[in-house]
């Protein structure tokens, strides 16, 4: 997968994306992540990326030109490796219509991070993890020129019902959630099967050594060695925890079954 992030704060990303599992995913060539400074695409001599809103109102609005040009340049350069028997044999350009035509992406998906977007969840992470090329635009200030939404953006995502200072942290949250789902990124395949939200259940309680910590004992069933018994305890605990903490998840499951 290839991920491009367009931002006015490029320095925010390295400390997060160049650590831990996302760092390893890049080293293993499972994902290629590139950060683009929006100011490098402005035609304004002062590198201005925002302006006052038409019709008045407080705050500034991100202008269309640098974003249109950044997305167009990224799309024109988006080549993906073509593999044969695991080896890269060539790089093929991702087919995409010119932005000026008004047509949205084919090979690349453009995502705007903003509070008005669809609330991000695990199902969206799973869907996005199957894309070949994602371009994230980090929203800012009072908003973004609506023509960016109309012509360039394929999908708008919010990470929750609260307002942050910009789309940078949301972009990192979404990238982290997506990258760990790319096949081969997490070492232990099982860790994806039993985690929270799989099957719309929260994760069951986990314990590790010692079995008795300062008089607080691990549930006896986990020490019995009977894997069937343990699995059924874990399932029951996951259900119990979901019922008390997130009953809404169980309703979603029922609705999906109907
Ligand atoms: N920008 C500001 N707040 C945001 C949020 N909650 N989600 C995504 N982008 C944002």
């Amino acid at each position: 997968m290839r991920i491009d992030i367009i931002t006015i704060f490029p320095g925010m990303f390295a400390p997060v994306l160049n650590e831990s599992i996302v760092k390893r995913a890049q080293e293993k060539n499972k994902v290629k992540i590139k950060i683009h400074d929006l100011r490098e695409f402005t035609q304004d001599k002062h590198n201005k990326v925002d302006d006052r809103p038409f019709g008045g109102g407080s705050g500034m609005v991100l202008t269309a030109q640098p974003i249109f040009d950044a997305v167009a340049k990224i799309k024109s350069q988006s080549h993906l490796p073509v593999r044969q028997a695991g080896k890269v044999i060539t790089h093929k350009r991702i087919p995409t219509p010119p932005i000026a035509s008004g047509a949205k992406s084919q090979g690349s998906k453009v995502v705007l991070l903003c509070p008005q977007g669809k609330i991000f969840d695990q199902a969206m992470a799973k869907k996005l993890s199957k894309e070949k090329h994602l371009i994230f635009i980090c929203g800012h200030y009072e908003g973004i020129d609506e023509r960016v939404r109309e012509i360039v953006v394929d999908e708008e995502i919010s990470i929750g019902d609260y307002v942050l200072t910009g789309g940078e942290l949301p972009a990192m949250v979404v990238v982290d959630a997506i990258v760990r789902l790319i096949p081969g990124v997490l070492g232990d395949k099982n860790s994806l099967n039993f985690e929270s939200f799989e099957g719309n259940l929260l994760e069951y309680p986990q314990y590790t050594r010692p079995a008795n910590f300062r008089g607080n004992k691990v549930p006896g069933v986990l020490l019995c060695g009977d894997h069937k018994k343990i699995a059924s305890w874990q399932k029951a605990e996951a259900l119990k925890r979901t019922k008390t903490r997130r009953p809404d998840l169980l309703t979603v499951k029922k609705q999906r079954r109907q």
Side-chain angles (χ1 to χ4, degrees):
M1 177 189 282
R2 180 178 158 170
I3 297 176
D4 290 276
I5 302 171
I6 302 168
T7 171
I8 55 170
F9 293 117
M12 282 178 75
F13 290 86
V16 174
L17 300 181
N18 292 342
E19 286 290 347
S20 184
I21 288 168
V22 181
K23 177 186 180 187
R24 240 185 307 133
Q26 293 177 85
E27 286 168 354
K28 285 203 266 177
N29 279 328
K30 299 287 175 193
V31 63
K32 196 166 168 21
I33 304 176
K34 207 166 168 209
I35 312 298
H36 305 266
D37 185 349
L38 184 62
R39 291 184 201 283
E40 286 178 10
F41 294 89
T42 175
Q43 285 166 5
D44 176 88
K45 63 176 178 218
H46 303 296
N47 288 346
K48 220 162 94 89
V49 289
D50 59 345
D51 213 330
R52 286 169 290 130
F54 280 124
S58 64
M60 301 289 270
V61 174
L62 283 176
T63 54
Q65 175 270 315
I67 301 177
F68 268 59
D69 290 352
V71 172
K73 178 144 188 230
I74 290 166
K75 283 186 172 180
S76 75
Q77 294 175 339
S78 52
H79 291 71
L80 280 176
V82 177
R83 291 173 204 275
Q84 225 171 53
K87 276 203 176 136
V88 177
I89 48 163
T90 182
H91 286 75
K92 202 170 140 210
R93 206 170 87 71
I94 300 168
T96 186
I99 285 176
S101 73
K104 302 240 175 173
S105 311
Q106 285 167 5
S108 314
K109 178 159 263 187
V110 181
V111 178
L112 172 66
L113 284 314
C114 64
Q116 300 96 319
K118 193 169 166 216
I119 301 285
F120 189 60
D121 64 13
Q122 191 66 13
M124 285 162 83
K126 254 190 189 165
K127 214 166 149 211
L128 289 173
S129 74
K130 296 186 174 96
E131 294 286 340
K132 283 189 167 62
H133 184 207
L134 293 168
I135 303 172
F136 290 103
I137 302 170
C138 303
H140 254 278
Y141 306 119
E142 285 307 299
I144 194 159
D145 190 301
E146 193 62 20
R147 287 163 290 191
V148 173
R149 280 200 171 87
E150 289 166 359
I151 299 165
V152 177
V153 170
D154 298 302
E155 195 169 329
E156 295 177 45
I157 291 180
S158 162
I159 61 159
D161 286 338
Y162 41 84
V163 180
L164 296 162
T165 53
E168 281 74 14
L169 288 171
M172 288 186 251
V173 167
V174 172
V175 167
D176 187 286
I178 291 169
V179 167
R180 64 188 290 286
L181 295 177
I182 298 172
V185 167
L186 288 186
D188 180 4
K189 279 186 211 136
N190 290 334
S191 56
L192 276 181
N193 291 335
F194 299 113
E195 67 183 7
S196 287
F197 302 111
E198 252 339 286
N200 274 321
L201 290 177
L202 296 183
E203 199 173 0
Y204 49 77
Q206 300 265 30
Y207 299 88
T208 185
R209 271 173 280 271
N212 183 343
F213 175 66
R214 298 178 184 168
N216 301 289
K217 291 184 185 141
V218 164
V221 63
L222 296 178
L223 310 174
C224 75
D226 182 337
H227 295 294
K228 254 193 173 161
K229 231 175 166 175
I230 292 172
S232 102
W233 179 86
Q234 288 170 332
K235 181 89 196 281
E237 287 296 315
L239 200 58
K240 196 161 97 189
R241 186 161 273 197
T242 313
K243 263 186 191 155
T244 50
R245 296 186 188 195
R246 293 291 308 275
D248 57 302
L249 290 177
L250 298 170
T251 327
V252 170
K253 196 174 179 182
K254 262 190 216 141
Q255 281 167 353
R256 278 196 193 143
R257 270 204 231 110
Q258 283 162 3

